[in-house]
Amino acid sequence: MHEHKRSNCIGMYAMWHTMPGKFYGLRAEMSIWASPNIENSQESGASIQIYCQDRGHYNLIQAGFHILPSLYHNRDIRFFTYWTKDSRSKGCYNLQCGGFIPASGAKLVPGQAIAPPSIYGIQDHYIRLSLNKDPNSGDWVVYRHDLETPSFLGHFPKELCPETPRIQALTGFVNYLKNARGPPMGSGHFPDYNEKKSAYFNHIKKYNSKGQAFDPRYTGMVKLVDRKDCYDANDLFLEFKKGYTFNYGGPGGCIG
């Protein structure tokens, strides 16, 4: 997939993704975890990712949560958006360039800190996000769904993700310097089925071309984990109270 940092960085993933096809977006509850010991050169987070074919390469748009001290000069967990024109380009976060356009009066804006984080073994906290193609405008819209009513956060212009086939993914990720030890992902623990101990994507839905949300059964999603000794994801399955769900994460500490 795609390393969205500098060329001297390594990106690691624990994700479920589709194969290329006609896809229109995803929605999920994403748990929020702190990473207080992350180093300035590191990044750890989770996101909804849409890879869009564009004249022989894939553009990427995404929305999620991360800790990135080099950008914010602290270790707060923050809502972020990101896009890159192709997997070799650096791309840009939040409002650094003409990409994501925030809604007026949005309840969550790119770069905004999120609190409180989950507390290991005691309490999980989450935010429910969606990123999907609006059937009217054709733009890729981002909504927050865990408030009293769905809240429109903004959009990526349709020109950033114009064509099919597309790959869509739910991704836990880290980025860190080559030859350094990787940071924790998620809760800093390998995935199990306890949502108070393990980062998760719950109530996963996919969108159709009409902007309607459905369970992702028969979508043919596959798991991708770069380094199972560092990070992992468990099976994507249907659970009574969580809908379609999977857990991910790991302690980090791997080199290269």
Side-chain angles (χ1 to χ4, degrees), residues 185-254:
M185 179 190 291
S187 70
H189 296 261
F190 283 112
D192 62 23
Y193 298 99
N194 184 337
E195 57 191 15
K196 292 179 174 59
K197 295 183 177 181
S198 182
Y200 59 75
F201 290 88
N202 284 353
H203 296 288
I204 297 166
K205 300 281 188 181
K206 66 172 183 177
Y207 286 88
N208 65 11
S209 62
K210 298 177 182 178
Q212 300 165 316
F214 294 90
D215 284 341
R217 63 170 73 90
Y218 315 127
T219 306
M221 295 185 80
V222 294
K223 180 165 65 174
L224 172 64
V225 176
D226 293 304
R227 288 279 302 269
K228 286 179 71 71
D229 55 330
C230 315
Y231 314 104
D232 207 355
N234 59 15
D235 289 340
L236 177 66
F237 69 103
L238 179 61
E239 186 171 306
F240 175 62
K241 291 186 177 179
K242 301 178 187 177
Y244 279 85
T245 178
F246 73 92
N247 297 73
Y248 69 91
C254 291

Side-chain angles (χ1 to χ4, degrees), residues 78-251:
R78 295 177 184 267
F79 170 60
F80 83 98
T81 58
Y82 178 90
W83 81 280
T84 184
K85 186 153 181 60
D86 62 69
S87 59
R88 293 174 299 279
S89 300
K90 184 181 176 185
C92 64
Y93 289 99
N94 302 336
L95 309 180
Q96 291 177 327
C97 64
F100 184 78
I101 300 171
S104 176
K107 296 288 194 340
L108 197 58
V109 297
Q112 183 176 331
I114 304 297
S118 303
I119 304 168
Y120 183 79
I122 297 174
Q123 183 64 55
D124 62 302
H125 293 279
Y126 67 84
I127 289 180
R128 187 182 295 179
L129 286 181
S130 65
L131 170 58
N132 73 287
K133 189 173 180 65
D134 183 274
N136 298 312
S137 68
D139 295 328
W140 289 82
V141 294
V142 179
Y143 278 82
R144 180 177 177 178
H145 297 269
D146 57 291
L147 304 173
E148 290 183 3
T149 58
S151 176
F152 177 50
L153 303 184
H155 72 277
F156 293 96
K158 58 188 175 185
E159 293 78 15
L160 302 184
C161 188
E163 300 177 29
T164 59
R166 304 185 185 101
I167 298 168
Q168 54 191 31
L170 297 166
T171 304
F173 64 85
V174 296
N175 288 288
Y176 59 98
L177 294 174
K178 292 177 181 176
N179 303 316
R181 292 187 179 276
M185 179 190 291
S187 70
H189 296 261
F190 283 112
D192 62 23
Y193 298 99
N194 184 337
E195 57 191 15
K196 292 179 174 59
K197 295 183 177 181
S198 182
Y200 59 75
F201 290 88
N202 284 353
H203 296 288
I204 297 166
K205 300 281 188 181
K206 66 172 183 177
Y207 286 88
N208 65 11
S209 62
K210 298 177 182 178
Q212 300 165 316
F214 294 90
D215 284 341
R217 63 170 73 90
Y218 315 127
T219 306
M221 295 185 80
V222 294
K223 180 165 65 174
L224 172 64
V225 176
D226 293 304
R227 288 279 302 269
K228 286 179 71 71
D229 55 330
C230 315
Y231 314 104
D232 207 355
N234 59 15
D235 289 340
L236 177 66
F237 69 103
L238 179 61
E239 186 171 306
F240 175 62
K241 291 186 177 179
K242 301 178 187 177
Y244 279 85
T245 178
F246 73 92
N247 297 73
Y248 69 91

